[in-house]
Amino acid sequence: MLATGPHPPPVDTLMLVETPEGIDLPLRPAGLVPRALAFTVDLAIRGVVLLLLALLLHPQGDMGVGALLLAIFLVNGWYMVLFEVLHQGRTPGKQLLGLRVVLDDGTPIGWSASLLRNLLRAADMLPLGYALGITSSLLHPAFKRVGDLAAGTLVVYQDAPPPVLRWPEVAPAPAPFALAASEQRALLELVQRQANLAPARVEELAALLAPALGVPAQQAMARINGIARAWVGPA
Amino acid sequence: MQLDRARVTIRPRSPWEALDLGCRLAARHRRLLALAWLALTVPVFSLISLLCWNAPTLALLLFWWGKPLYERLALHILAQALFDHPPSIGQALRAWPGLLRRQWLASLTWRRASLMRSFDLPVTQLEGQAGRARQQRLGLLHREDGRAARWLTVVGAYVETCLVLGAVSLLLLMVPRSAGDSWHWAQWLLGPPIPGRLWLQHLANAFYVLVLAVWGPIYVACGFTLYLNRRTHLEAWDIELVLRALCQRLAPLVVLGLLLAFMLTPPPALAADAAPAEQPRVSVSTAHQAIEALLQRPPFENIETRARWHWRRGDPSPAPAAAPAPHAAANPSEGLARAAEILLWAALAGCLAWLGWHHRLRARQWAARLARRRTPPHQALPPLFAQDLAPERLPMDVAGHAEQLWASDPRQALALLYRGLLSRLVHDYKLPLRAADTEAQVLAKVAALQLRGLDDFSQKLTWHWQAIAYGHRVPPAGTCEALCRGWRRLFPLQGASQ
């Protein structure tokens, strides 16, 4: 389906990455709000760790203070990098919000990219409290901050594990006409989601197909359930 | 509502993704939204500032309090743009007073503190719900996406603060230190307000107006897409879209099916027959044409225009310009240019030649240094050491001199013999001695030559020399004769050997 006419293509947040086999993998870049929250969680974790260390080390005299300074450097400088590289692109904050960092082509992030994107936090913080990073992320189509632009990385939503599907226990019925893949998917979605929709709305949706199915509007949903059952099989 | 005309992709998303979609939606109409927002807020802000010139904080508070009213304008534009063409700025501004009529008091008073303002706005403004019905509707909508709506407002408050303070501190960072400490940004940020600088406070307020023109529409758009997403989940808009398209596709089929069903034939089989009949037959030539046309389109025919800098000389394209050369020669300006070119090249060559002449001495030094570096370093002895061991510095008849010295000063005699030996080793045997070598190291190198007589003599001489040099022990009588005999045997005089 080509978008013709004066309208630009509809607004969407998906980024399609084409594999050599010609398959489009959709990546879902994450925007400002979840990323800001993930950063806040990470900041809080680091703050608590450093506070505990300070309480422990500060009374130990000069050596304790030295060790504390080293710990501050290690925690602030390496927390993000180590988690991102060794934990599939997820810091604890990102994991909580369901985010992960990947390279622009969807491959896992490596040392150089992670170091670069986290070193450039210094630039994103300018002049105050991540003002540059916020501006950049609001303006960029994939919500990248300066560090992401330089390192070629992308913060995306993790794919949720596929839900357990339950199909209605009805007798299978054949579809009376040929259906494209997207149309089959829509019918299966309707069968799956009918429990979450208002009953009147389910009937209304099913009634759209009633003339084509050749049944009264009240029985259309039962018929669609049967068709879905036939597609899914006896399992 | 005609979903198929929506200018956003409709599919069920997570609440966070719905917020991101709002960001993109606002970006699509960025110019229109910001200009309309500014056209509304700048007069309001100017008026408030003039009225409260002596209380900039109060002016900011009043302006901030009116945010729900400005947001209605942004939502009006976004809602129109979602299904239709967006309105012009003038149309939007004219529609604005009408938008305010509904529940403006509530949004400015008890609903002003609500953290879900932008999420609730579509229910009030677009659905026109009020009272109990509105409460029920909101309860249903909040059940899933309320959390994201709340966080949106919290993050938005941070974004506004951060961008305004960032802009002001950036400005103050540019003020030179010579202007005084009272201009330091930290002073402005953390210290008490300075009485004479009211205008600076108002300037900061103006920055807030600008920041809000960017963030305000995004905030409204995020709430709007969150609302759309919740309704997509609740009403399965994505499924409705596909089903409607399917109905349209099947419409002619349905008529046929009904007709045949009337003739008491089982519908499924008929539909199966009818489906292939729908497709027109394609001849080979039309198929070829269709394929060719398809191959000319973007995914296959991908023409990119790139502009980059490159050298003119290497470019083949000026070649046709060079072809009419005789014609160009007739042109007087062409000849002038050629002459200037020759002059310039000559000037360059002259410059290079003058540079070479001027620096010829330095060039010679360089050449000498390079030549010196090429000779292997271990063959060159340090100057002092080399002088001591030079054969010219030693008497012709070393042994005879030593015998004469022995009577008065045995130490000098042995020193002469030892120096003579080292000199011979360096010059006759080409032993690579260094100034830092000890006597034992010299002996080891002599031993490596595997010359028995020389080795024996060297050992004896070295032993006696060390005894007198370091131990001050005078060698026994007869030593001198033995050593001199050994010397003469090893190094016979030039005249005597002949």
Side-chain angles (χ1 to χ4, degrees), chain B residues 341-362:
Chain B
E341 193 184 349
I342 291 171
L343 267 180
L344 283 174
W345 280 112
L348 180 66
C351 275
L352 286 177
W354 180 80
L355 271 178
W357 177 250
H358 193 72
H359 291 285
R360 64 190 188 284
L361 277 178
R362 190 164 298 171

Side-chain angles (χ1 to χ4, degrees), chain B residues 343-479:
Chain B
L343 267 180
L344 283 174
W345 280 112
L348 180 66
C351 275
L352 286 177
W354 180 80
L355 271 178
W357 177 250
H358 193 72
H359 291 285
R360 64 190 188 284
L361 277 178
R362 190 164 298 171
R364 208 171 293 158
Q365 280 172 357
W366 264 93
R369 198 178 301 167
L370 279 179
R372 218 175 301 146
R373 202 172 292 167
R374 248 175 242 136
T375 57
H378 69 265
Q379 292 222 345
L381 285 166
L384 258 179
F385 192 52
Q387 264 180 15
D388 277 348
L389 297 185
E392 309 88 72
R393 296 283 301 264
L394 292 167
M396 280 292 279
D397 181 12
V398 174
H401 255 268
E403 273 172 336
Q404 280 176 16
L405 277 173
W406 188 268
S408 56
D409 192 351
R411 192 185 171 86
Q412 285 290 329
L414 276 173
L416 180 64
L417 277 176
Y418 193 67
R419 227 148 36 89
L421 174 67
L422 290 183
S423 172
R424 293 286 177 162
L425 288 178
V426 169
H427 293 109
D428 293 2
Y429 292 93
K430 305 286 182 210
L431 267 192
L433 296 187
R434 290 172 303 149
D437 280 343
T438 62
E439 287 91 343
Q441 280 170 326
V442 173
L443 279 183
K445 282 180 182 171
V446 171
L449 288 177
Q450 297 192 327
L451 293 172
R452 219 189 148 76
L454 183 66
D455 195 23
D456 280 348
F457 177 75
S458 303
Q459 283 194 10
K460 239 178 263 171
L461 178 59
T462 305
W463 192 85
H464 286 302
W465 161 245
Q466 282 178 323
I468 196 166
Y470 306 122
H472 296 281
R473 280 180 308 194
V474 179
T479 313

Side-chain angles (χ1 to χ4, degrees), chain B residues 275-334:
Chain B
E278 258 233 310
Q279 303 192 343
R281 294 196 65 80
V282 184
S283 76
V284 175
S285 62
T286 53
H288 266 294
Q289 277 172 7
I291 290 169
E292 282 299 315
L294 200 64
L295 285 177
Q296 298 299 319
R297 273 198 253 153
F300 303 104
E301 181 83 357
N302 199 5
I303 297 173
E304 275 183 44
T305 312
R306 288 189 186 177
R308 63 181 172 85
W309 295 99
H310 63 92
W311 296 106
R312 258 219 129 111
R313 283 285 160 83
D315 195 348
S317 59
H327 179 75
N331 196 343
S333 68
E334 194 79 3

Side-chain angles (χ1 to χ4, degrees), chain A residues 7-8 28 129 157 176 201 208, chain B residues 7 17 20 235 240 247 271:
Chain A
H7 286 299
R28 298 175 296 157
Y157 294 101
R201 176 68 181 160
L208 287 173
Chain B
R7 305 312 308 158
E17 276 188 274
D20 301 344
E235 298 167 26
E240 182 183 337
C247 277

